[in-house]
Amino acid sequence: MWHHQKKIRAYLYQGLLDSIQAGEQNGDAVRKRKSFPLPEIDKQHEMTNDLPREIIEETSIEVDPEDTSLHKNLNTEQRMAYDEILATVDRQRGGIFFVDGPGGTGKTFLYRALLATVRGQGKIVVATATSGVVASIMPGGRTAHSRFKIPLKIDDGAICSFTKQSGTAKLLQAASLIIWDEASMTKRQTVEALDKSVRDIMDRPDLPFGGRTVVFGGDFRQVLPVVRKGTRAQIVDASLRRSELWDCMRQLKLVRNMRAQNDPWFAEYLLRIGNGTEETNDDGEILLPRSICVANKTDDNGLDRLIDSIYQTGNASLIKDPRYITSRAILSTRNDCVDKINLKMIDRFQGEEMVYHSFDSVEDDPHNYYPPEYLNTLTPNGLPPHMLKLKINCPIILLRNIDPANGLCNGTRLVVRGFQKNAIDAEIVVRQHSGMRVFLPRIPLCPSDDDMFPFSFKRKQFPIRLSFAMTINKSQGQTIPNVGVYLPEPVFSHGQLYVALSRATATSNIKVLTGTHDENKQKNKKTTTCDTYTKGEKNMKSTTSGTYTKNIVYTEVLTK
Ligand SMILES: Nc1ncnc2c1ncn2[C@@H]1O[C@H](COP(=O)(O)OP(=O)(O)OP(=O)(O)O)[C@@H](O)[C@H]1O
């Protein structure tokens, strides 16, 4: 992981142009920026022998030697899925699959094995995922939205915005295999848009996905598509399971939790949480295993205790080790909780500090109804904070696709190595591009959801956040060997509790802090719950007290 040759790649150019165009015409600032060495613009990839950039990039992905032997380690169900998909790729007659497996059953592992094998045969594979985090786990992975040019606002009947002559169309025509992980998290209309567009570019309007081989995957126990202010019925209706395409997807089931394979009791417990079959009390809450709970006393230091159980902040050399820092995270439901933890952590972190403030503005606001002081208080989802406090060696996560082909996509994890006035020197610390040094620019950012505010909000800031803590939604798809879960308020959507708990590999490396100390709930509890624990878990006593928390499961989305 650490022996990749270090490269320096500058992303300043666009940032400089942006800031100059944005009218920041302070002569001094511009003069100083000019002193940065601008990189040569590399035009090599724009056109080579008329091959579109998309195909050149795809064919130049190096197969990770580690991944070429993954297929040898597949378990029985993974092996069956792998063989069936490879046989379909070989036959070249197309096929649509859905790899269905609970969290940790090795869906991404299977795709990595497939990617290595099919690319190793010199064929083209398009690897995508709904979230940037999971896309960055797969070599050459992109978010489905950016790869397939799916419109941000999507309704029934929508199509992708690439043309028949585009590089994207040529890539999809040339692909032997198309993978879309976490398809359970995306609205069915996005998959339907891809289907329509691929039928069109393949000139095969009657065949699903124009006769291509497409592998979808996901887990409907986990977070479902976001439907703003959506009712339960609307959210369920937006899921891929409710699409007419669902019936043409051959189901390939994975069943063995490989992530928690050393803790079978935990794996079973997780499955009951995900399926919504874990016993509940009269308030609909489930009992958490005592051993994973951080005591929530009235002294209000619960969060510090949770942090201490995940991060040894006192050990300066350990905390600066990227392997240490990326093998742990604290998860929470909301951005404000995540920001609170990140701020606590950065204060404890030792090292040279830098604070970058954003420039916030509203388009078309001549009367200044929205003063900067107000705008600075906003932290919409997916945007960096107004005040970005960083220290050398601290972990960060990228919030935008800056250069996906070179590993800089939404969800990439990096550590800060140096500060410039208008750039952050950072090092990628995960996967394929690990070890690569980059300069990140400030860029103008808008909330992805246009309806969030009654005005057009723009924030010019580095597109990053600290990543000591992250939202549960952002953690989906990751294995986090040491995970803390902070639930000052209960979860509020389907699958959130399951996603949070199922990032862990065993009860011994997860800690949960809930907001209410609820020993008094014992009087409501069904007595059967207690039996479940006395049989299974060493630390549970035959007492009815414990910590309860809400679990939301839309069971109707788990069955057709
Ligand atoms: N056959 C295998 N042999 C060894 N380790 C495996 C195997 N399959 C999966 N794993 C490991 O189990 C963990 C979970 O795998 P993976 O992330 O692929 O699961 P997933 O089904 O994609 O999970 P999620 O739905 O939570 O994203 C990873 O650490 C992975 O390396």
Side-chain angles (χ1 to χ4, degrees):
M1 185 168 173
W2 299 106
H3 26 274
H4 282 243
Q5 201 188 1
K6 292 196 172 183
K7 300 181 208 161
I8 302 276
R9 187 173 287 269
Y11 293 91
L12 275 169
Y13 191 52
Q14 187 60 46
L16 275 171
L17 289 181
D18 283 341
S19 54
I20 292 166
Q21 279 163 6
E24 252 207 321
Q25 299 299 2
N26 172 329
D28 188 40
V30 172
R31 254 192 317 280
K32 276 187 187 150
R33 282 189 203 106
K34 277 190 178 160
S35 68
F36 282 110
L38 291 184
E40 290 297 313
I41 298 175
D42 181 1
K43 291 199 171 144
Q44 168 200 326
H45 290 326
E46 290 303 318
M47 248 183 295
T48 306
N49 299 332
D50 287 339
L51 268 185
R53 177 179 47 84
E54 287 81 352
I55 293 191
I56 294 170
E57 276 174 10
E58 179 53 48
T59 47
S60 52
I61 295 168
E62 283 169 34
V63 178
D64 188 334
E66 221 180 273
D67 285 7
T68 51
S69 52
L70 283 184
H71 69 96
K72 295 182 194 146
N73 299 330
L74 297 172
N75 66 32
T76 314
E77 298 78 24
Q78 288 171 322
R79 161 68 56 188
M80 282 165 66
Y82 173 87
D83 288 344
E84 193 166 338
I85 294 166
L86 280 190
T88 308
V89 169
D90 282 345
R91 274 200 304 273
Q92 298 181 16
R93 274 194 250 121
I96 318 297
F97 299 94
F98 188 91
V99 180
D100 192 355
T105 48
K107 299 180 288 296
T108 313
F109 192 93
L110 168 66
Y111 312 136
R112 280 176 50 212
L114 284 167
L115 286 167
T117 304
V118 181
R119 282 183 181 144
Q121 295 168 350
K123 294 175 182 160
I124 290 183
V125 191
V126 174
T128 69
T130 301
S131 77
V133 176
V134 172
S136 71
I137 296 174
M138 287 188 284
R142 301 285 179 85
T143 61
H145 268 86
S146 72
R147 171 53 87 209
F148 303 130
K149 309 226 174 333
I150 295 168
L152 277 181
K153 287 209 163 165
I154 191 133
D155 290 313
D156 284 327
I159 54 167
C160 302
S161 56
F162 57 82
T163 62
K164 244 178 175 170
Q165 290 72 37
S166 64
T168 305
K170 300 222 159 52
L171 176 69
L172 295 175
Q173 285 161 344
S176 297
L177 176 63
I178 299 167
I179 294 176
W180 185 337
D181 194 10
E182 301 174 304
S184 47
M185 265 178 92
T186 193
K187 287 185 180 160
R188 64 177 167 76
Q189 289 90 342
T190 60
V191 176
E192 290 163 359
L194 178 67
D195 171 48
K196 286 193 195 71
S197 296
V198 178
R199 286 183 201 227
D200 180 42
I201 60 161
M202 299 305 294
D203 286 324
R204 301 185 77 174
D206 304 329
L207 275 180
F209 298 91
R212 308 272 71 200
T213 301
V214 192
V215 174
F216 294 94
D219 176 16
F220 291 94
R221 296 164 194 83
Q222 300 186 36
V223 172
L224 293 174
V226 177
V227 179
R228 223 166 101 73
K229 296 191 180 148
T231 61
R232 175 171 176 158
Q234 286 166 330
I235 295 169
V236 171
D237 179 63
S239 83
L240 181 58
R241 238 183 157 126
R242 292 291 179 271
S243 172
E244 285 178 5
L245 291 169
W246 182 252
D247 288 335
C248 46
M249 295 184 182
R250 176 157 162 65
Q251 302 292 307
L252 302 170
K253 302 238 185 243
L254 303 187
V255 292
R256 222 175 311 166
N257 189 334
M258 301 302 286
R259 183 177 290 139
Q261 58 181 322
N262 294 326
D263 191 342
W265 181 89
F266 186 51
E268 283 297 316
Y269 173 75
L270 289 175
L271 205 52
R272 292 197 301 274
I273 302 271
N275 287 333
T277 54
E278 177 67 352
E279 297 275 357
T280 57
N281 65 14
D282 292 347
D283 295 332
E285 297 169 326
I286 59 109
L287 178 63
L288 291 169
R290 185 178 291 274
S291 65
I292 73 171
C293 295
V294 171
N296 191 350
K297 301 173 192 155
T298 46
D299 62 4
D300 198 33
N301 288 331
L303 182 53
D304 289 325
R305 282 195 293 276
L306 178 69
I307 290 175
D308 290 340
S309 66
I310 304 300
Y311 290 103
Q312 288 185 43
T313 47
N315 188 333
S317 59
L318 200 56
I319 198 106
K320 283 177 187 155
D321 179 348
R323 278 163 295 192
Y324 178 84
I325 215 80
T326 52
S327 66
R328 56 205 66 230
I330 296 178
L331 313 178
S332 196
T333 48
R334 294 203 328 255
N335 270 325
D336 54 348
C337 299
V338 165
D339 288 344
K340 180 165 112 179
I341 300 168
N342 277 328
L343 276 178
K344 265 181 182 279
M345 281 300 298
I346 200 71
D347 284 342
R348 292 180 181 199
F349 203 82
Q350 287 165 21
E352 184 196 335
E353 180 182 300
M354 179 67 116
V355 179
Y356 293 103
H357 290 98
S358 66
F359 304 98
D360 296 343
S361 59
V362 167
E363 278 164 27
D364 301 329
D365 181 26
H367 303 295
N368 202 20
Y369 289 138
Y370 304 104
E373 304 78 61
Y374 163 68
L375 298 175
N376 295 344
T377 63
L378 305 174
T379 29
N381 220 354
L383 251 60
H386 163 64
M387 192 194 76
L388 191 59
K389 191 175 187 184
L390 303 171
K391 287 185 182 162
I392 298 289
N393 297 322
C394 73
I396 53 173
I397 190 162
L398 199 59
L399 301 173
R400 286 292 181 275
N401 291 324
I402 293 190
D403 183 359
N406 287 297
L408 286 180
C409 43
N410 185 347
T412 301
R413 294 183 83 171
L414 307 104
V415 294
V416 172
R417 294 296 188 214
F419 301 119
Q420 311 270 0
K421 185 159 183 282
N422 284 302
I424 293 170
D425 174 2
E427 179 178 331
I428 300 181
V429 288
V430 284
R431 295 271 155 216
Q432 202 189 354
H433 299 278
S434 178
M436 190 165 103
R437 288 285 275 275
V438 294
F439 284 104
L440 302 171
R442 263 182 217 272
I443 56 172
L445 299 139
C446 299
S448 51
D449 182 353
D450 286 352
D451 302 332
M452 187 175 282
F453 303 121
F455 49 83
S456 316
F457 177 60
K458 191 156 87 179
R459 168 161 292 166
K460 194 149 156 269
Q461 178 60 291
F462 296 97
I464 55 170
R465 272 174 177 275
L466 285 166
S467 64
F468 296 107
M470 64 182 86
T471 58
I472 292 172
N473 291 28
K474 198 104 193 164
S475 75
Q476 187 150 328
Q478 297 182 62
T479 295
I480 307 179
N482 297 278
V483 60
V485 183
Y486 179 51
L487 298 174
E489 282 158 28
V491 294
F492 55 81
S493 69
H494 165 94
Q496 264 183 331
L497 184 68
Y498 175 64
V499 170
L501 301 181
S502 64
R503 298 310 93 204
T505 57
T507 44
S508 54
N509 52 34
I510 179 167
K511 290 286 173 210
V512 184
L513 176 67
T514 59
T516 47
H517 188 57
D518 36 15
E519 296 282 341
N520 56 356
K521 289 221 171 123
Q522 56 186 284
K523 60 180 181 292
N524 293 327
K525 200 175 69 59
K526 290 178 184 171
T527 48
T528 46
T529 311
C530 174
D531 296 341
T532 316
Y533 289 86
T534 46
K535 271 185 229 150
E537 212 213 0
K538 292 190 279 296
N539 297 346
M540 290 298 296
K541 306 218 167 67
S542 57
T543 161
T544 54
S545 68
T547 303
Y548 290 80
T549 195
K550 197 163 172 180
N551 181 31
I552 302 178
V553 181
Y554 297 168
T555 43
E556 66 273 29
V557 83
L558 305 180
T559 53
K560 185 110 199 259

